[in-house]
Amino acid sequence: PLSKGGSIAEGIQKERAILEQVKKRADYIIDTSNILTRELKEKINDIFVLHEAFDSLMITVGSFGFKYGIPIDSDLVFDVRFLPNPFYIPELKELTGNDAPVNDYVMGFEESRVFLNKLLDLLEFLIPKYIKEGKNSLVISIGCTGGKHRSVTIANQLYLALKQKGHSVRLRHDDMEKEL
């Protein structure tokens, strides 16, 4: 409604200016730009029903293939092309990191487990710093060659570990289906 005679972007800027004082007095600010309706319901339930600590940072963990390009919205990018590649195992080639045999293959290597633990350690250091700085969204992109095996496996494992630690986290696989 505030964009009459102008652009939508101008209307949004006017709305933000009008609501600035309300925002300053708010106890909770939830950026809904990148969350699904059910995720908003969960966040509201966590705050007002379960009385859990409010964490305004929405973490997106994603996988991608370097041959398709790094996702433009990435805040942190990690390259897992150093891990053994299931692509060269005939019975795993057509599967993805969402399939148990590929997951078991990738996570069966010590370097995969060590990498994941070191990555979690780094993120546990960084996440509170991002929250303190007022960041609402953190996009962690995990890449391998095609975005189908290693990156999907590591992204899935990272997603589960962050969720288990109580973070608000979503999962996406940008390139997993491109060659299926």
Side-chain angles (χ1 to χ4, degrees):
L2 297 176
S3 63
K4 289 181 183 170
S7 71
I8 293 174
E10 291 169 341
I12 291 170
Q13 291 301 333
K14 287 178 187 175
E15 181 178 306
R16 287 183 177 161
I18 291 168
L19 294 174
E20 187 60 34
Q21 292 304 313
V22 173
K23 184 177 179 179
K24 285 180 182 175
R25 294 182 13 224
D27 292 322
Y28 306 105
I29 299 170
I30 302 173
D31 183 351
T32 59
S33 304
N34 296 310
I35 65 174
L36 302 171
T37 304
R38 74 174 156 73
E39 293 168 333
L40 176 60
K41 284 172 75 175
E42 287 172 15
K43 195 167 267 298
I44 291 170
N45 186 60
D46 290 347
I47 296 167
F48 296 107
V49 178
L50 302 176
H51 306 291
E52 292 182 3
F54 177 65
D55 177 1
S56 64
L57 184 67
M58 175 55 74
I59 302 168
T60 301
V61 175
S63 68
F64 73 96
F66 275 100
K67 69 181 184 180
Y68 302 111
I70 298 170
I72 195 147
D73 61 345
S74 299
D75 294 303
L76 300 170
V77 177
F78 296 94
D79 182 347
V80 296
R81 289 177 289 186
F82 67 92
L83 298 175
N85 194 346
F87 178 84
Y88 297 108
I89 311 294
E91 58 270 16
L92 301 179
K93 182 177 181 174
E94 299 304 319
L95 301 176
T96 73
N98 282 340
D99 295 307
V102 172
N103 179 77
D104 295 346
Y105 176 83
V106 172
M107 295 312 296
F109 292 93
E110 182 180 1
E111 58 256 51
S112 300
R113 297 185 302 273
V114 169
F115 172 75
L116 183 62
N117 287 330
K118 288 184 180 289
L119 180 55
L120 281 166
D121 188 45
L122 174 63
L123 292 173
E124 286 303 306
F125 169 77
L126 290 174
I127 289 169
K129 309 282 187 234
Y130 287 133
I131 292 170
K132 183 179 178 189
E133 197 60 34
K135 194 163 177 56
N136 302 87
S137 172
L138 177 65
V139 178
I140 303 166
S141 297
I142 311 292
C144 66
T145 306
K148 182 176 169 182
H149 299 107
R150 296 167 291 180
S151 62
V152 172
T153 297
I154 297 298
N156 287 344
Q157 294 290 324
L158 182 60
Y159 166 81
L160 292 172
L162 291 172
K163 193 150 189 77
Q164 188 175 42
K165 291 178 179 285
H167 296 290
S168 298
V169 64
R170 327 171 12 168
L171 179 65
R172 73 178 195 211
H173 298 300
D174 293 348
D175 300 326
M176 182 178 70
E177 302 289 332
K178 286 197 172 161
E179 292 185 15
L180 294 179

